[in-house]
Each structure stands twice: as structure tokens, then as C-alpha cells.
Amino acid sequence: MGYVKLFDPDVEPTGTPHQRPLPPLPARGVARPDEEVYLFDERTVLAVNIALATGRPLLVLGPPGSGKSTLAPNVARLMGLRYYAEVVTARTEPHDLLWREEAFRQLNDAHSGKLGAPDSPAYFRPGVLWKALDPSVDPVFAGSAEPADAGDEGTGADPGLRGRPAVVLIDEIDKADPDVPDALLDPLNNLRFEGPGRRLVTAAEGIDAPLVVITSNEERELSAAFRRRCIPLVLEPPDREHLLLVARLHMGAAYDPLLAGELAEMFDAESSAARPVASTAEFLDTLRACRQLGLTAGSPEWRAVADLAMVKGSPDVLPYA
């Protein structure tokens, strides 16, 4: 017997099946539609549903190129939810995901004699978690022309999404100092935090709790308290069947089953013989390169393309994400 799915990648929010035509190979210079193609397995769907049902963050672990960062935007797209993303760096501070001070603006206003109150909206910029809790602070829904913060991505351009819950991606949390994830425990648990001027920021009335997706390459150990707060999902290295399914979805009419099969065999052999494991991203890039260069399974050059596109060598060399 199955379970009630709060998230079902095969069904629209209206209850009708998704219509997903296979995307063609994009022309040169056109953005690839990778973010709109995701292969959901039952384990991933179950993890997303548990996170939605419990209100706990989804901690996605796995090697670079395994699809950790594209899970969240696809869940948001399929469920018709607002979407925000923050890529964590070594310079990320604990409060950056909540709000950032506009220190330079304050300094300029102080020098010009126009300094306002410390909690004036002119002197802070809401972070992704604040926007997720309260869409009224998102410039998209507030009708502001103010540009988005650097590193903060969103798909809230549709005004119809204003009353919808949000999906928040906190990408590569392990790149930050250990105090950054631990500082998120209270805001994520209680959906409230202290904002500018010591004001209490809470979820707007009628807005459900966001789905928070946190990714990690496991380059730095996360605290036991943080891990216990999250629903863990480990994305395993892709096997041959997964690679071929992903290739069909991404390549569309340009999919070459013979070349994809040969390449999948090569990737599988290389992944078994060496570390790091070749990623799905490398597999797709190799297929695209062969397509652009007019190579087929009968062309001897495709192996040279694969050798250059794949990251091989010692465990110290990490494949790109």
C-alpha cells in the first residue's frame, strides 16, 4: 500500500498528470534546460514528503554533479511554489541567510546628515529565509525595482505565487564555518528569528512553513545536533540505468542510444576502477560535446572526448559540480 504524497513529481498541484515533453538540444548560446529536468526515484520522493510532513529541513548529501542543487528548484517548479536559493561560501556569516545590513548606506546617510532609524528598511536586506516566511519583504511581490542580492536567486516573478509557500535551497552548507549551520537551528525549528532593531520576524499570516533543502559535499563535518534536526537524503553515484534515463530526458530528440550506451559502459568501468566517481554532469557534457562535434558510436574520436570531459585521477581531485 502506498502513502499520501504531499509531493508527487508525476502529478500537477491541480491533481492532473504533468505534461513533460522531452527537451531538444539547445542551440549554441542558449541556456541549457538542465534545471527543468530531474529524475526522481522513489527514495527521493519519500524523503521530500517526509520533510514536508515533519517541517524539518532536507539535508541532501552526495558527490559533486549528483544533482543535489537541482532537487530544490524542481520540487518548487512541480509544486508551484516560490523558490529562493543561497550559495554558501567561506565568507557566509550566520545571519546572512536571515538578513544583511546595508552598512555602506547607513554610513553615507550618516555623513550626509540623513541617517534614519536603525531598523529602517533602507538599512537591511532580507535574506532567503525571511523572504520565504514573509513574501511582503520580497521586492518581487512588493513591487520594488530593487535588484536581488548577490547569491540570492528566486523564481518569484509570477505574482500569483505570492500566497504560496516557498522552497529554500541552502547550497553547500559545509563550506561555511561550523557556527553557520548551528545558528540556523533555532530559526528553522521555530520559524522565527530576531531581525533588525531586535524585532521578531515570524511567518506571515496564511503562509505555510517553507521546505528548506540544504546540500553538502561533506567536505566538513556537520554537528550532530544539526544532522538530527534534518531529514537525510544521500544521493548515490549514478549507475548505468540512471545515466541512460537522465540522458534521454536531457537530450530529447538528440538522444543517441548507441553512443549513450557505449559512454555509460565506459563511465561505469572508470567509476569502478578509480576515484572520484564520474558524475552525471560529466556524462551529459560528454554526450553534448559528441553531438556538437558530429560524433557517433562508430566514431573513434568519441573516446578521446570522454577522456577529456571526465575528471580522473587521485582522490584529491574533485569533479566539478
Side-chain angles (χ1 to χ4, degrees), residues 230-263:
C230 300
I231 301 298
L233 171 64
V234 179
L235 299 182
E236 301 294 339
D239 59 16
R240 184 178 186 277
E241 291 304 315
H242 179 90
L243 289 174
L244 294 178
L245 277 172
V246 170
R248 281 202 295 270
L249 287 171
H250 279 262
M251 301 295 289
Y255 177 67
D256 181 342
L258 292 178
L259 178 60
E262 292 279 356
L263 187 60

Side-chain angles (χ1 to χ4, degrees), residues 6-57:
L6 304 174
F7 165 68
D8 188 342
D10 296 322
V11 177
E12 296 272 9
T14 58
T16 58
H18 280 291
Q19 299 297 319
R20 298 188 213 155
L22 292 176
L25 184 70
R28 180 174 298 184
V30 177
R32 299 185 303 194
D34 291 3
E35 69 278 1
E36 295 186 4
V37 179
Y38 197 91
L39 184 60
F40 286 93
D41 57 29
E42 281 303 316
R43 191 162 160 274
T44 301
V45 173
L46 178 61
V48 172
N49 276 279
I50 294 173
L52 287 169
T54 60
R56 291 162 61 186

Side-chain angles (χ1 to χ4, degrees), residues 96-300:
D96 287 343
L97 299 169
L98 308 176
W99 56 279
R100 290 181 172 92
E101 284 189 284
E102 296 282 11
F104 287 113
R105 184 174 294 182
Q106 284 182 291
L107 185 61
N108 288 335
D109 285 359
H111 280 309
S112 62
K114 299 185 297 184
L115 184 64
D119 61 346
S120 168
Y123 299 145
F124 65 86
R125 186 186 295 267
V128 291
L129 289 176
W130 192 343
K131 292 177 184 177
L133 293 175
D134 186 359
S136 69
V137 301
D138 185 342
V140 170
F141 300 111
S144 170
E146 186 176 359
D149 197 4
D152 175 7
E153 303 172 3
T155 57
D158 182 358
L161 296 178
R162 178 186 172 93
R164 299 286 290 158
V167 174
V168 178
L169 171 65
I170 302 175
D171 206 13
E172 301 188 349
I173 191 71
D174 51 320
K175 291 192 180 300
D177 288 334
D179 57 341
V180 171
D182 289 344
L184 294 176
L185 286 173
D186 186 63
L188 291 176
N189 188 51
N190 298 310
L191 298 180
R192 63 186 182 188
F193 57 89
E194 189 177 273
R198 305 185 67 86
R199 62 178 285 195
L200 183 64
V201 175
T202 59
E205 185 177 353
I207 300 295
D208 291 337
L211 169 65
V212 179
V213 179
I214 302 170
T215 74
S216 170
N217 292 326
E218 299 188 90
E219 295 177 4
R220 177 178 291 169
E221 185 69 24
L222 300 172
S223 72
F226 184 80
R227 284 179 172 268
R228 283 196 302 269
R229 178 70 190 114
C230 300
I231 301 298
L233 171 64
V234 179
L235 299 182
E236 301 294 339
D239 59 16
R240 184 178 186 277
E241 291 304 315
H242 179 90
L243 289 174
L244 294 178
L245 277 172
V246 170
R248 281 202 295 270
L249 287 171
H250 279 262
M251 301 295 289
Y255 177 67
D256 181 342
L258 292 178
L259 178 60
E262 292 279 356
L263 187 60
E265 292 286 352
M266 181 179 181
F267 267 47
D268 193 43
E270 291 288 347
S271 297
S272 299
R275 291 294 182 267
V277 176
S279 71
T280 306
E282 291 170 282
F283 178 75
L284 291 172
D285 281 345
T286 305
L287 282 179
R288 290 190 176 102
C290 289
R291 170 69 177 177
Q292 293 288 345
L293 297 173
L295 301 178
T296 66
S299 307

